[in-house]
C-alpha cells in the first residue's frame, strides 16, 4: 500500500466555481506526484463542468471507497445516483443539498482515517442549511464533527498569517464575545499550530485591538484595557510571545505584520479584508486546532463568474499543497518524537 498522502476534496456548491477550480488543479498530472486526490461528487456533474470549460475531460478513476484510490490518477467517489439539475451562477436548494452530501461523505472518511486531509471547495452558507448542518460555515461544522472544544480560522500565505477570535457572527455580537478566555484560547491554538504545522520554534504573534486606535487608552472603548491587554499579559506568562494591541489600520498600512509570524484579529472582517488584499490569489483558509487537517481556498462560490471558465485555481492549488505540507510536518513531528537521536540532530540543524 502506498504511503502517499490522500487528499479528500469536497466539491462545494454545484452552481459555483468549485468544480472548475478543482478540475483546473487536477489537470496538472504533476499533482499526483505529491498526493492522491479523491473528489467526492459525481462524474456526471464533473462532465457538465468540463463542457462549460471547453476542455478535454479529466479522466477520473471512479471508486466506491477511499481505500481503493489509484495513486497515480485523480479519483472520484460518486456520492449519489440521481441526475442533478445544475444552474450555474444560481443560489438554490440543489447547490446546498449536494454540497452537504459531498462534505459529509468526505469528512466521515477523513475522521475514519481513510484520507489524510480535506480540502473544501466553497459552499453557500445559506443554501447548505439543513437538519444536520445548522452552522455558520465549514469551520464550525468540522469542529463539531471532530468533537473539538475550540478551533481557529487561520488564513495563511507566504506573506502573512491571520487568525480571528470571533468568526461568522453578526458585528453587533462581537464585543460580548471578546473575552480574556477566548483570546487566550485562540492565542494558544495559534501558537501551537505555528510550532506544529509550520515549524516555527518561537512564534511572534501580533494582537489587534477591537476599537479604532486600539481604544486610545480608553477614550474609544475599554475592551483593550479590560480584556485584550490582560489576555496578552497572561499569554506572555504562559510562554507565548504575544504583542499589542495594535490599531488595525496603521498596523497593516505600515506593513508591521511582516515583523510577526502571525496576527490575531478580533473579528472576521478586521482580519480577512487586509489578508485578502495582500494574498487574494494565494491565500488559504486553514482550520487550526483540530485533530484533522482541513484547508480551503480563501474565496467564495463565485456565482458571478460560474460557467465562464475565468476562475483562477491559484488559491485552491495553494490549499491543496498547504494541506500536503501540514500532513508531512505532522508525520515528521511524530517520527521525531519517537526517535530521540533524530530529534537531537533535527534541533541542531534548526539552530
Amino acid at each position: 500500500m502506498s504511503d502517499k498522502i490522500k487528499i479528500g476534496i469536497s466539491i462545494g456548491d454545484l452552481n459555483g466555481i468549485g468544480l472548475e477550480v478543482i478540475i483546473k488543479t487536477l489537470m496538472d498530472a504533476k499533482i499526483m506526484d505529491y498526493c492522491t486526490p479523491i473528489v467526492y461528487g459525481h462524474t456526471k456533474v464533473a462532465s457538465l463542468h468540463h463542457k462549460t470549460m471547453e476542455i478535454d475531460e479529466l479522466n477520473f478513476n471512479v471508486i466506491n471507497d477511499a481505500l481503493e484510490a489509484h495513486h497515480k490518477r485523480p479519483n472520484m467517489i460518486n456520492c449519489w445516483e440521481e441526475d442533478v439539475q445544475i444552474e450555474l451562477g444560481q443560489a438554490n436548494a440543489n447547490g446546498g443539498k449536494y454540497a452537504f452530501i459531498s462534505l459529509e461523505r468526505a469528512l466521515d472518511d477523513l475522521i475514519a482515517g481513510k484520507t489524510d486531509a480535506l480540502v473544501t471547495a466553497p459552499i453557500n452558507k445559506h443554501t447548505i442549511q439543513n437538519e444536520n448542518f445548522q452552522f455558520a460555515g465549514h469551520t464550525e461544522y468540522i469542529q463539531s464533527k471532530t468533537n473539538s472544544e475550540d478551533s481557529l480560522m487561520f488564513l495563511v500565505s507566504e506573506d502573512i498569517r491571520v487568525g480571528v477570535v470571533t468568526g461568522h457572527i453578526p458585528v453587533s455580537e462581537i464585543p460580548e464575545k471578546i473575552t480574556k478566555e477566548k483570546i487566550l484560547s485562540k492565542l494558544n491554538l495559534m501558537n501551537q499550530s505555528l510550532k506544529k504545522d509550520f515549524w516555527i520554534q518561537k512564534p511572534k504573534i501580533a494582537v489587534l485591538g477591537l476599537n479604532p486606535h486600539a481604544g486610545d487608552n480608553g477614550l474609544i472603548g475599554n475592551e483593550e484595557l479590560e480584556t485584550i491587554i490582560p489576555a496578552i499579559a497572561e499569554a506572555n506568562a504562559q510562554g507565548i510571545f504575544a504583542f499589542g494591541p495594535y490599531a488595525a489600520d496603521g498596523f497593516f498600512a505600515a506593513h508591521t505584520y511582516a515583523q510577526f509570524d502571525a496576527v490575531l484579529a478580533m473579528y472576521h472582517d478586521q482580519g480577512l479584508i487586509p489578508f485578502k488584499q495582500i494574498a487574494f490569489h494565494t491565500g488559504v483558509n486553514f482550520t487550526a486546532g483540530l485533530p484533522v487537517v482541513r484547508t480551503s481556498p480563501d474565496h467564495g462560490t463565485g456565482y458571478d463568474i460560474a460557467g465562464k471558465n475565468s476562475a483562477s485555481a491559484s488559491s485552491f492549488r495553494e490549499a491543496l499543497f498547504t494541506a500536503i505540507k501540514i500532513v508531512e510536518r505532522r508525520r515528521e513531528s511524530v517520527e521525531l518524537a519517537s526517535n530521540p537521536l533524530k530529534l537531537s540532530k533535527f534541533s541542531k540543524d534548526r539552530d
Side-chain angles (χ1 to χ4, degrees):
M1 180 180 294
S2 172
D3 62 353
K4 191 185 294 183
I5 293 170
K6 287 184 178 180
I7 303 292
I9 299 172
S10 61
I11 62 173
D13 194 305
L14 299 176
N15 300 318
I17 61 173
L19 266 167
E20 180 179 332
V21 297
I22 290 169
I23 291 168
K24 285 179 175 178
T25 298
L26 299 184
M27 289 290 289
D28 182 356
K30 292 181 181 178
I31 295 293
M32 268 54 74
D33 292 339
Y34 300 96
C35 71
T36 300
I38 304 169
V39 181
Y40 292 78
H42 202 287
T43 48
K44 288 183 180 179
V45 175
S47 293
L48 184 142
H49 281 268
H50 276 113
K51 292 176 182 178
T52 64
M53 294 166 66
E54 297 181 348
I55 60 174
D56 292 335
E57 189 156 337
L58 180 61
N59 187 20
F60 283 103
N61 177 51
V62 180
I63 56 177
N64 295 314
D65 191 288
L67 298 178
E68 303 170 355
H70 195 293
H71 298 288
K72 295 184 179 180
R73 293 173 59 189
N75 300 273
M76 174 79 78
I77 292 180
N78 288 334
C79 297
W80 57 83
E81 293 303 323
E82 67 272 18
D83 291 332
V84 179
Q85 183 177 1
I86 298 174
E87 299 176 85
L88 292 172
Q90 302 298 312
N92 58 34
N94 262 358
K97 174 182 176 180
Y98 293 100
F100 176 71
I101 291 173
S102 170
L103 174 61
E104 185 178 44
R105 179 76 180 273
L107 186 56
D108 284 346
D109 278 0
L110 178 65
I111 293 171
K114 292 184 177 182
T115 56
D116 299 299
L118 171 62
V119 182
T120 58
I123 59 172
N124 180 312
K125 296 176 178 63
H126 175 71
T127 62
I128 198 174
Q129 298 296 321
N130 59 55
E131 61 181 14
N132 295 312
F133 190 105
Q134 298 180 17
F135 300 90
H138 277 118
T139 302
E140 295 81 1
Y141 175 68
I142 297 171
Q143 178 182 325
S144 175
K145 286 278 285 186
T146 55
N147 297 313
S148 301
E149 290 186 9
D150 199 3
S151 65
L152 175 71
M153 184 188 296
F154 205 7
L155 283 296
V156 301
S157 74
E158 288 293 326
D159 300 314
I160 184 173
R161 302 180 188 92
V162 177
V164 293
V165 176
T166 59
H168 300 119
I169 64 172
V171 173
S172 60
E173 296 179 11
I174 291 171
E176 67 185 62
K177 300 293 185 183
I178 301 292
T179 65
K180 177 182 174 182
E181 293 72 25
K182 191 75 170 175
I183 295 170
L184 275 171
S185 177
K186 301 300 183 182
L187 281 172
N188 271 288
L189 291 176
M190 180 176 283
N191 190 58
Q192 292 166 14
S193 181
L194 288 168
K195 290 180 177 181
K196 179 176 67 174
D197 300 321
F198 298 92
W199 281 6
I200 300 171
Q201 289 186 311
K202 297 179 180 179
K204 289 177 58 182
I205 300 171
V207 180
L208 302 183
L210 173 64
N211 298 295
H213 306 293
D216 221 351
N217 292 316
L219 185 64
I220 317 176
N222 295 316
E223 285 84 0
E224 285 77 15
L225 295 175
E226 297 177 357
T227 306
I228 301 173
I229 291 174
I232 293 172
E234 178 62 28
N236 290 160
Q238 295 177 11
I240 298 172
F241 297 103
F243 303 84
Y246 295 94
D249 56 352
F251 179 85
F252 289 109
H255 288 222
T256 308
Y257 62 85
Q259 301 173 21
F260 296 90
D261 297 301
V263 181
L264 183 65
M266 290 298 111
Y267 57 94
H268 185 280
D269 282 13
Q270 184 189 51
L272 269 67
I273 289 174
F275 179 86
K276 291 187 177 184
Q277 180 68 29
I278 294 164
F280 185 66
H281 290 296
T282 59
V284 174
N285 183 0
F286 166 51
T287 308
L290 301 180
V292 298
V293 176
R294 175 261 171 167
T295 64
S296 72
D298 71 344
H299 57 72
T301 55
Y303 289 138
D304 57 324
I305 58 172
K308 298 179 181 179
N309 195 25
S310 60
S312 169
S314 296
S315 183
F316 188 88
R317 187 179 298 110
E318 287 296 323
L320 182 71
F321 279 109
T322 298
I324 293 169
K325 291 174 185 175
I326 291 173
V327 171
E328 288 175 339
R329 289 170 185 148
R330 289 191 180 186
R331 284 182 175 181
E332 184 71 12
S333 295
V334 171
E335 184 179 345
L336 289 170
S338 63
N339 189 336
L341 292 177
K342 188 173 182 179
L343 178 59
S344 176
K345 181 180 184 302
F346 175 80
S347 298
K348 290 179 181 178
D349 291 343
R350 300 274 294 176
D351 289 341

